[in-house]
Amino acid sequence: MGKILVLDHPLIQHKLTFIRNVETGTKEFRELVDEVSTLMAFEITRDLPLREVQINTPVREAKSFVISGKKLGVVPILRAGLGMVEGILKLIPAAKVGHVGFYRDPETLKPVEYYVKLPSDVEEREFIILDPMLATGGSASAAIKALKSRGAKQIKLMCLVAAPEGVSKITVEHPEVDIYLAALDESLNEKGYIVPGLGDAGDRLFGTK
Ligand code: URA
């Protein structure tokens, strides 16, 4: 069973308050999403394997540790997931970046894949899928399926804010996927917005409306 981790570090919670606030403008919103993504990446990389190396400090020989070359991939779901990419690459600059995009079929209301581009060595990488808002979970679940169907074996999902409905969908459909959140909110409203949420993450990131 995958983990559901709400990252309650005070810096994440503090910055999330400003992200949520309707008074926060596009520039500040984008910067804050970037900063929170970096802070979340710190936690999401906690289980990276280390190997011991021998070095010389100015004082004497020492055994120390380096990350043991695990291959990582970051996959934003278009378009709002793009706002989280740079913040993560600050901590794991060697990660490759894939992209997935979905539109909603007007009749079935189900997500339909329109764009998928992943690194070629999918099977060897651990992937972090990025979606700021885990609302119904439809596109996050579709993104996980898109990666699995192309051979991905290890997938984590990172979101800023989630609704219980989205978390349930992922845990039922992809029980092995760990979910990292900055907040688990109360509900979804009739328009599909997370409550209290932060509004439309894509519009607030890119200044569209
Ligand atoms: N997508 C958003 O950007 N915001 C929500 O509240 C739900 C889905």
Side-chain angles (χ1 to χ4, degrees), residues 80 131-136 188 191-195 197-203:
D131 189 4
M133 309 303 280
L134 183 62
T136 62
L188 278 183
K191 291 186 178 151
Y193 282 101
I194 297 176
V195 181
L198 51 78
D200 187 303
D203 281 345

Side-chain angles (χ1 to χ4, degrees), residues 18 47 55 57 68 70 112 151 162 171 180:
F18 293 90
D47 59 2
I55 55 159
T57 77
S68 73
K70 182 152 189 154
V112 180
T171 51
Y180 293 78

Side-chain angles (χ1 to χ4, degrees), residues 106-182:
E107 272 160 31
T108 65
L109 302 180
K110 295 221 160 74
V112 180
E113 196 177 290
Y114 69 83
Y115 188 77
V116 178
K117 185 78 183 174
L118 300 175
S120 54
D121 50 357
V122 174
E123 292 179 15
E124 295 160 39
R125 283 187 188 270
E126 176 175 320
F127 286 95
I128 305 169
I129 295 178
L130 308 177
D131 189 4
M133 309 303 280
L134 183 62
T136 62
S139 38
S141 181
I144 296 168
K145 277 187 205 135
L147 266 67
K148 283 185 182 171
S149 71
R150 288 161 177 86
K153 305 268 183 301
Q154 285 178 282
I155 301 172
K156 291 174 174 171
L157 175 63
M158 177 171 152
C159 310
L160 294 184
V161 180
E165 293 87 335
V167 172
S168 303
K169 185 173 175 77
I170 301 301
T171 51
V172 168
E173 296 184 2
H174 307 285
E176 76 290 0
V177 170
D178 293 337
I179 305 173
Y180 293 78
L181 307 171

